[in-house]
């Protein structure tokens, strides 16, 4: 074959597969691994979030973030309630012992949603005292859940 010869067209590429590749099916008797919960998503509303170090100063920092953001959205009358709820939720997450805490705030229809993620795996959903304390601070509703990525605490407040 001549070394100077070049083909007139590129090599033929294989056609794409007709069906998508299926993941392997689980073996009989082997437990099926389930996906963790999907990431939290807040849509069609104003929202803000902050990542905080899990430290003793985090609850007061969270209070300031929540109050400042609510003021920038035009809500000035819920300062004490929103600040107190944010502090309690963040201090609970800090006590979980993780390295970081995520704080999320959203508003819709004159209500605010405050969500705190502890990012510490292997926790119970919550102790009996946290949610009644959040409700006593003036939350319209509140709750908690847990998954492999940690505990999530939330509260809804009327503004």
């Amino acid at each position: 074959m001549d070394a100077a010869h070049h083909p007139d067209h590129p090599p033929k590429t294989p056609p794409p597969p007709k069906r998508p590749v299926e993941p392997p099916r689980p073996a009989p008797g082997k437990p099926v691994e389930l996906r963790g919960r999907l990431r939290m998503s807040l849509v069609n509303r104003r929202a803000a979030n902050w990542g905080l170090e899990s430290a003793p100063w985090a609850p007061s920092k969270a209070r300031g973030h929540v109050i400042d953001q609510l003021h920038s959205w035009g809500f000035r009358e819920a300062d004490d309630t929103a600040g107190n709820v944010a502090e309690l939720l963040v201090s609970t997450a800090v006590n979980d012992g993780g390295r970081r805490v995520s704080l999320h705030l959203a508003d819709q229809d004159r209500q605010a949603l405050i969500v705190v993620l502890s990012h510490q795996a292997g926790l119970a959903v919550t102790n009996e005292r946290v949610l009644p304390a959040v409700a006593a601070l003036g939350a319209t509703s509140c709750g908690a859940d847990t998954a492999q990525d940690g505990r999530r605490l939330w509260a809804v407040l009327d503004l």
Side-chain angles (χ1 to χ4, degrees):
M1 177 150 232
D2 185 14
H5 175 71
H6 297 292
D8 296 338
H9 52 82
K12 204 172 196 183
T13 58
K18 295 188 190 259
R19 288 187 297 161
V21 177
E22 261 186 58
R25 295 181 185 245
K30 186 177 179 184
V32 177
E33 184 177 318
L34 300 175
R35 283 180 39 185
R37 72 177 176 212
L38 297 175
R39 290 182 170 262
M40 191 176 83
S41 174
L42 299 171
V43 295
N44 299 330
R45 65 201 67 187
R46 292 184 291 194
N49 57 40
W50 302 270
L52 303 170
E53 182 182 348
S54 184
W57 51 262
S60 61
K61 186 92 167 165
R63 177 187 188 91
H65 286 315
V66 167
I67 291 172
D68 290 346
Q69 188 64 52
L70 288 174
H71 284 185
S72 74
W73 289 340
F75 301 112
R76 298 193 175 275
E77 56 279 350
D79 286 357
D80 287 336
T81 303
N84 292 340
V85 168
E87 270 192 275
L88 179 58
L89 294 178
V90 171
S91 66
T92 302
V94 167
N95 290 336
D96 289 346
R99 294 179 53 186
R100 63 188 175 104
V101 172
S102 298
L103 170 65
H104 303 267
L105 175 68
D107 82 311
Q108 183 178 14
D109 299 330
R110 298 205 46 84
Q111 288 188 318
L113 169 67
I114 301 172
V115 180
V116 175
L117 301 159
S118 70
H119 304 286
Q120 180 66 17
L123 300 170
V125 172
T126 186
N127 67 34
E128 309 85 50
R129 291 176 280 185
V130 173
L131 296 180
V134 172
L137 291 173
T140 305
S141 62
C142 57
D145 70 351
T146 188
Q148 290 177 342
D149 60 343
R151 182 185 355 215
R152 176 172 41 199
L153 300 161
W154 58 270
V156 176
L157 311 169
D158 288 328
L159 299 174

